[in-house]
Amino acid sequence: MTTTTTPKSGRRWGGFALHYVEMIIAMFAGMIGLGMLRSAVGLGVSPAEQPELWYLAMAFDMSVGMAAWMRFRGHRWAPTLEMCGIMFAPIVPLFPMLWLGIIDGGVLMLVSHVVMFPLMLVAMLRRLDEYAGCAH
């Protein structure tokens, strides 16, 4: 017995994938745009000198960009805030490792981003109808 993908199912997964990419673009837009604005007004943070504050500012900037796009696309507050939380989630185990000298700021940034993208995907799959639906 073979299983075939119907056009409707293909569109559903295509919409899901497109939405994932849109959210990543919105994250980077927020990170770059707000980061540049912060630096322009003299509030830039050095990742070498203050990796914790640097990461928190970057996660905030990514959250703002992504939340703005999600709200524009018609998402409810619960999934929007859930995605914003995912921007901060990787630091829970990483900050203590940074403070103990197990990792440095560069590893913090690398690992947090490597973990962040699959966490986003898991949250999206958990709310598949929200992200693959045609409601937005």
Side-chain angles (χ1 to χ4, degrees):
M1 178 181 230
T2 60
T3 304
T4 58
T5 304
T6 64
K8 186 175 181 180
S9 176
R11 281 194 305 270
R12 178 177 171 92
W13 287 107
F16 179 87
L18 176 63
H19 197 69
Y20 183 71
V21 170
E22 287 176 354
M23 289 184 18
I24 291 170
I25 291 169
M27 281 170 40
F28 279 100
M31 180 178 68
I32 293 167
L34 292 174
M36 289 173 55
L37 179 62
R38 189 177 13 270
S39 292
V41 297
L43 297 174
V45 179
S46 165
E49 295 174 17
Q50 298 172 305
E52 300 96 329
L53 185 57
W54 174 76
Y55 183 84
L56 290 171
M58 183 180 60
F60 175 80
D61 296 346
M62 289 188 295
S63 295
V64 168
M66 188 171 39
W69 184 250
M70 288 180 71
R71 295 298 294 166
F72 174 77
R73 289 280 307 245
H75 288 282
R76 297 170 294 119
W77 277 110
T80 301
L81 294 174
E82 180 179 71
M83 279 296 172
C84 291
I86 288 171
M87 301 300 102
F88 293 90
I91 62 171
V92 173
L94 294 177
F95 271 7
M97 293 171 72
L98 179 72
W99 299 328
L100 293 170
I102 298 169
I103 62 171
D104 63 11
V107 173
L108 172 78
M109 191 272 302
L110 177 69
V111 172
S112 63
H113 280 82
V114 167
V115 170
M116 183 184 307
F117 294 114
L119 285 176
M120 287 175 58
L121 190 57
V122 167
M124 288 177 69
L125 287 169
R126 186 175 152 264
R127 296 179 186 267
L128 184 59
D129 289 338
E130 174 94 18
Y131 292 103
C134 299
H136 34 271

